[in-house]
Amino acid sequence: MIMNWWSFSWRMLRRDARAGELRLLAAALVVAVAALSAVGFFTDRVRQALERESHQLLGADLLLTADHPWPTALAVEARERGLQVVETRTFPSMVRRGVGADLQAQLVEVKAVSAGYPLRGALRIAAALNVADRRADGVPLAGTIWIDERLASALSAGVGDQIAVGRASLRVAALLTLEPDRGINFFSVAPRLLMNLDDLPATALLQVGSRVGYRLLLAGDPTSIRSFRREIEPRLARGERIEDPQNGRPEIRSALDRAQKFLGLSALLTVVMAAVAVALAARRYVQRHLDPCAVMRCLGATQGTLLRLHLGQFAVLGLLAASGGCALGYLAHFALHAWLAQLLATPLPPPGLLPVGQGVVVGMLLLFGFAVPPLLQLKKVPTLRVLRGELGSPQAGLLGGYLLGLLALAGLMFWVAGEVALGSYVVVGFATALIVFALFARLAVRLAAAARGRPGGVGWRYGLASLERRATASVVQIVALSLGFMALLLLTVIRDDLLDAWRRAVPADAPNRFVVNIQPEQVTPVRAALAAQGLSPELAPMIRGRLTRINGVEVDAASYNDDRAQRLVEREFNLSMRADLPAGNSLSAGRWFSAADLENGSGSGEASASVEDGLARTLGLSVGDRIEFVVAGETIAMRVVGLRKVDWDSMQVNFFVLTPPRVLQGYPASWITSFYLPPAKMMLVNQLLRDFPNLTVIDVAAILRQLQAIIDQVAQAVQFVFLFTLLAGIIVLYAALASAAQERRYELAVMRSLGARRAQLRRALLAEFAAVGALSGLIAALGATAVAQLLARQAFHFDVEVNLWLPLLGIAGGMALVTGAGWFAASRLLQTPPLEALRGGSA
């Protein structure tokens, strides 16, 4: 009996496949599954790479990281337990090649390693650019370095060349092609230079204020590793942490998680519109099958039989569509791989079958969540409908019976978001957008219908009247298309507007070079060297301090839930001191330092501090709070007397925490400055590095260009995902038109019978499609403008001008797209003879 049901369901599917609604339903499922599975295949490859090479990504079984040197006794203790131990130092610095006019300088990320590095994985090196590489034996010998391909290209350096690293001159022995624990280029914008740890003292690069990462890499049998970790974990001090393959490289996993969520949420927009298309197509399918079901009821079929037959048919359709969507998603994920895989320093393995299972689940959820409610009406068809065709028609309401589908869609959003808070924001955001767009669309449809009485042709009046007559379908079309258009406008026009506003926010003569690691005895000669070139930037002292207490309560990472707050309290702050309010700073609360503060360090017996208001919000600080820093082993208590709003776009040297000069005098300090370097004076950098090898000159413009290139890659990937959104929007439009095709076909036949010409009806259809497209484009433009203002003010903290051309662009684009797609769907209706349409009825 079961086989007979499935066989009959399969025959029904083959017969009904010739009908348009099942083709539309299948197309919507394919597009939705393809969008999600394309993202799923790529992220699955990344997940597998991280899991497969988890130890290689650390270069060890256990990694101890700190912002200060590890005690020698710790390494001795680890070796006594039979563990292998390797030590590394990582820090930014400038390197130089050549002399005189041929001198070239480049900011690099230096990694100094001891023998045995890495303990897991392997380094790979090459003898020259674009030649086959090989597995490295050991690490660079003393007096030699390995440089990566980017640094070799930047300095036009090759094997055998000498490169100045601080006060040492080291020979390039190989090109570094693979470094297992390198990580993601997001956090390594500078090229890499690998050197022997024994050569580090000769460079004299580690000075007061240098930001150095100290790491101990350990490897051994799992039991010894677990035992050693359990014993040292309680002994960790501030700024020290443990990483293992499960929590290692948190910046990699965090960035990839965010990218996955961003792409996944983008794909969800496709799923939302596909759900609308499925609901519309299923509803039309039910309309067509009411009469056949009534006949089957007369022949003895029970309600359960009818339901099982149609559910079986839809189950087969869902499996076929989901399979096709997964196949399309697999092909599409290679485009994401081409844009985003280069952000990883490890090759990606082939994807597994997990995204296929996820795609099938998504397809079946969409199908049965939005197709079952109208299907349930088929089993209720009365046998009397054979004689009276008006009986048993589908209910007019669309949302009442779709609670299951809406709950499934909300569940998908939570699933893709990956966390309750973000999922809640997404669900509420989508719901709010749908409600606002629906209300706006309904009002616009009503106004358009009211405008039909104004002077105009018969086609124009009939087209606008059709919007009101099919108000529900019109609103669904407009809302779905508005979401798709808004997404595309955000990723094209609005993105360019945001970037232009960001560029305008930065002055043309804003500093493009930062010089750090200036030692106290170098302040005067560095200032003189800059003055000789007509530059007079301000040099500011930096004193390293760690925040330990707020209002007497000790703070650490566990005190905060916010990721940024956790990072801030775990690291050392760069404090500074000055008497006057810096340019580009303005008071947002409290006051600036008084005469008593400047004279005594505090007007009330305590040191005073001025805190940047963004930092204050992150850490929960306010005027009057007492904060304590540990500087050079001593505790300094400060009272927050004011909060400052800082214009970070000025590119001037700014600090989170400032104190009067007397508070921090006498503590170890390095100095920093920034200035605008015209293209004609580029040799100044080479001269500075020749005279002061320990300085680090950061080319902000170059770093911003590289970061912009990364952002462009991600934006291109997201735009690619939104191509599915656009396709889903077109399917929704076609489905909405097709769902009312029979009714429209009957109306057009009646109009033609009453004397209307085809040209008049054609104009009416075009007027209706143009109105739907114009309204969709207008709503999308207004929504995109609102989102852009929100992003600019809340995320980027600058003002963006309202693009007055955007509504016109949205209206024109919407009209063109909707009119073209709608006319393609409805043009055949005009070719149907009126007599044939009238005999078919309007049902």
Side-chain angles (χ1 to χ4, degrees):
M1 180 66 71
I2 295 177
M3 293 300 297
N4 290 336
W5 286 339
W6 281 106
S7 176
F8 191 40
S9 296
W10 173 249
R11 291 198 301 270
M12 287 176 58
L13 177 62
R14 293 176 57 187
R15 183 198 64 196
D16 291 338
R18 292 187 288 271
E21 61 271 2
L22 280 192
R23 290 199 298 267
L24 279 174
L25 194 150
L29 290 177
V30 167
V31 170
V33 173
L36 277 178
S37 61
V39 176
F41 279 119
F42 175 73
T43 54
D44 183 64
R45 296 180 69 176
V46 173
R47 178 188 59 79
Q48 288 188 71
L50 292 176
E51 292 179 354
R52 186 188 67 181
E53 302 187 14
S54 57
H55 291 272
Q56 284 85 344
L57 288 172
L58 291 178
D61 294 332
L62 196 66
L63 178 64
L64 307 182
T65 66
D67 55 10
H68 55 267
W70 288 95
T72 305
L74 189 62
V76 173
E77 180 183 351
R79 292 189 177 96
E80 289 176 349
R81 292 173 175 268
L83 301 178
Q84 297 172 277
V85 181
V86 166
E87 188 178 358
T88 72
R89 308 265 200 283
T90 306
F91 56 92
S93 183
M94 299 295 296
V95 298
R96 310 176 308 283
R97 176 178 177 269
V99 295
D102 297 327
L103 181 66
Q104 294 177 282
Q106 176 66 42
L107 175 67
V108 301
E109 189 175 12
V110 178
K111 177 184 278 189
V113 301
S114 62
Y117 168 84
L119 296 176
R120 293 290 184 259
L123 297 166
R124 296 190 67 84
I125 57 176
L129 289 172
N130 303 318
V131 301
D133 62 354
R134 62 178 177 83
R135 184 187 178 101
D137 298 322
V139 299
L141 300 176
T144 68
I145 55 175
W146 296 347
I147 62 176
D148 69 6
E149 296 168 327
R150 285 196 296 159
L151 182 56
S153 300
L155 295 181
S156 302
V159 173
D161 290 336
Q162 295 290 129
I163 291 182
V165 184
R167 298 188 182 278
S169 180
L170 304 175
R171 181 177 60 86
V172 178
L175 299 187
L176 183 64
T177 60
L178 178 63
E179 186 182 357
D181 61 337
R182 177 63 182 269
I184 284 184
N185 290 341
F186 282 135
F187 306 95
S188 303
V189 295
R192 175 77 79 176
L193 182 149
L194 195 69
M195 64 182 295
N196 195 297
L197 189 61
D198 294 337
D199 289 328
L200 190 55
T203 65
L205 288 175
L206 300 190
Q207 304 284 343
V208 173
S210 298
R211 284 198 174 271
V212 185
Y214 297 85
R215 291 178 171 85
L216 285 180
L217 288 73
L218 298 95
D221 66 87
T223 302
S224 299
I225 288 291
R226 287 195 296 268
S227 175
F228 184 73
R229 173 174 182 160
R230 282 196 302 268
E231 292 197 14
I232 67 171
E233 203 160 15
R235 294 153 46 187
L236 294 178
R238 292 292 298 267
E240 301 174 352
R241 70 178 185 273
I242 296 178
E243 296 179 8
D244 59 17
Q246 282 68 48
N247 65 5
R249 305 311 300 243
E251 75 279 9
I252 295 178
R253 297 182 185 274
S254 176
L256 291 174
D257 284 345
R258 290 192 184 100
Q260 177 182 354
K261 290 175 183 177
F262 189 54
L263 292 172
L265 293 175
S266 302
L268 266 181
L269 186 56
T270 304
V271 176
V272 170
M273 283 191 286
V276 175
V278 169
L280 291 173
R283 188 168 182 269
R284 175 56 189 155
Y285 174 88
V286 170
Q287 288 176 326
R288 286 187 59 252
H289 284 74
L290 289 174
D291 289 337
C293 285
V295 172
M296 293 178 68
R297 288 290 309 278
C298 291
L299 297 177
T302 65
Q303 292 183 349
T305 300
L306 290 176
L307 185 61
R308 284 192 294 270
L309 286 174
H310 288 92
L311 288 179
Q313 178 185 7
F314 272 56
V316 175
L317 175 66
L319 290 174
L320 292 176
S323 300
C326 289
L328 180 59
Y330 177 77
L331 297 176
H333 100 277
F334 287 107
L336 298 178
H337 180 274
W339 281 309
L340 300 179
Q342 57 188 298
L343 303 180
L344 287 166
T346 180
L348 299 182
L353 295 178
L354 180 61
V356 176
Q358 293 172 338
V360 173
V361 170
V362 169
M364 301 307 286
L365 278 177
L366 279 180
L367 180 63
F368 285 97
F370 290 91
V372 166
L375 279 179
L376 292 176
Q377 299 179 40
L378 290 179
K379 71 174 185 177
K380 302 178 182 178
V381 176
T383 55
L384 193 58
R385 181 180 168 86
V386 174
L387 300 177
R388 296 180 59 184
E390 74 275 8
L391 295 178
S393 297
Q395 299 173 2
L398 283 176
L399 296 180
Y402 292 105
L403 181 60
L404 176 64
L406 294 174
L407 291 176
L409 191 60
L412 280 177
M413 292 181 181
F414 278 103
W415 180 27
V416 173
E419 57 186 67
V420 175
L422 180 59
S424 301
Y425 288 137
V426 173
V427 171
V428 172
F430 267 110
T432 302
L434 288 173
I435 293 172
V436 172
F437 282 14
L439 292 176
F440 195 99
R442 186 65 186 93
L443 177 62
V445 167
R446 179 64 60 84
L447 293 177
R452 70 181 187 272
R454 297 183 179 278
V458 174
W460 172 258
R461 293 196 299 271
Y462 178 77
L464 294 183
S466 296
L467 288 178
E468 177 66 22
R469 188 167 56 253
R470 285 182 289 271
T472 300
S474 299
V475 169
V476 170
Q477 295 174 38
I478 294 171
V479 169
L481 288 168
S482 298
L483 289 172
F485 289 153
M486 185 181 73
L488 292 175
L489 289 174
L490 281 172
L491 289 171
T492 53
V493 179
I494 293 297
R495 186 193 67 170
D496 293 337
D497 288 344
L498 287 172
L499 291 176
D500 290 341
W502 176 55
R503 296 186 185 101
R504 289 193 301 269
V506 179
D509 59 348
N512 56 6
R513 298 294 190 279
F514 280 76
V515 182
V516 298
N517 288 342
I518 305 172
Q519 298 306 301
E521 67 275 9
Q522 297 175 327
V523 171
T524 300
V526 166
R527 184 179 283 119
L530 295 176
Q533 297 294 326
L535 303 174
S536 56
E538 179 183 11
L539 277 71
M542 291 195 309
I543 299 93
R544 303 287 291 276
R546 186 179 298 279
L547 179 65
T548 57
R549 292 176 180 271
I550 298 177
N551 292 325
V553 179
E554 187 170 348
V555 295
D556 55 23
S559 305
Y560 297 93
N561 295 323
D562 181 68
D563 290 339
R564 181 170 181 263
Q566 292 175 352
R567 292 194 301 269
L568 286 169
V569 298
E570 278 296 304
R571 74 175 196 182
E572 289 187 319
F573 282 76
N574 283 327
L575 313 176
S576 190
M577 48 189 176
R578 62 181 300 140
D580 57 328
L581 185 67
N585 287 232
S586 59
L587 289 176
S588 58
R591 60 178 177 81
W592 183 245
F593 303 136
S594 65
D597 296 333
L598 298 176
E599 178 64 26
N600 304 315
S602 171
S604 59
E606 282 184 313
S608 299
S610 176
V611 180
E612 190 263 342
D613 58 2
L615 176 70
R617 286 193 300 271
T618 302
L619 298 182
L621 297 174
S622 59
V623 175
D625 284 347
R626 189 175 187 269
I627 55 178
E628 296 180 23
F629 286 92
V630 172
V631 179
E634 297 183 13
T635 298
I636 303 178
M638 308 175 188
R639 183 72 63 180
V640 179
V641 299
L643 303 181
R644 291 172 290 113
K645 183 176 178 61
V646 177
D647 180 14
W648 297 104
D649 290 329
S650 67
M651 305 302 288
Q652 301 290 339
V653 174
N654 284 299
F655 295 91
F656 286 129
V657 180
L658 292 173
T659 71
R662 298 175 63 91
V663 174
L664 297 175
Q665 280 181 351
Y667 288 96
S670 64
W671 294 67
I672 182 174
T673 188
S674 67
F675 53 85
Y676 174 72
L677 185 65
K681 297 183 178 181
M682 289 301 176
M683 292 305 296
L684 171 62
V685 173
N686 296 333
Q687 182 64 44
L688 275 177
L689 295 175
R690 186 164 42 244
D691 297 339
F692 311 100
N694 64 289
L695 300 187
T696 297
V697 180
I698 302 173
D699 183 352
V700 181
I703 293 177
L704 290 179
R705 285 195 299 270
Q706 184 166 358
L707 290 175
Q708 184 59 54
I710 294 173
I711 293 172
D712 286 342
Q713 291 170 357
V714 176
Q716 288 173 347
V718 175
Q719 283 179 305
F720 175 75
V721 173
F722 270 105
L723 290 178
F724 292 103
T725 306
L726 177 61
L727 184 58
I730 296 175
I731 293 175
V732 167
L733 171 66
Y734 194 91
L737 294 172
S739 66
Q742 187 65 24
E743 179 184 357
R744 192 188 301 273
R745 180 170 175 262
Y746 185 79
E747 290 178 356
L748 292 176
V750 171
M751 295 287 290
R752 289 183 62 188
S753 300
L754 296 176
R757 296 187 298 273
R758 286 186 179 179
Q760 291 175 320
L761 298 179
R762 185 181 298 112
R763 286 194 294 270
L765 289 176
L766 291 177
E768 180 180 351
F769 299 148
V772 169
L775 291 175
S776 301
L778 176 61
I779 295 173
L782 296 177
T785 300
V787 173
Q789 292 292 328
L790 182 66
L791 289 175
R793 296 177 184 275
Q794 300 299 323
F796 303 119
H797 307 293
F798 58 73
D799 294 327
V800 60
E801 296 180 1
V802 175
N803 188 338
L804 298 179
W805 290 101
L806 192 63
L808 296 178
L809 179 63
I811 292 173
M815 288 178 63
L817 183 60
V818 175
T819 301
W823 180 249
F824 176 77
S827 58
R828 289 178 297 175
L829 298 179
L830 292 176
Q831 308 301 323
T832 304
L835 184 59
E836 177 182 337
L838 292 173
R839 284 175 175 173
S842 61

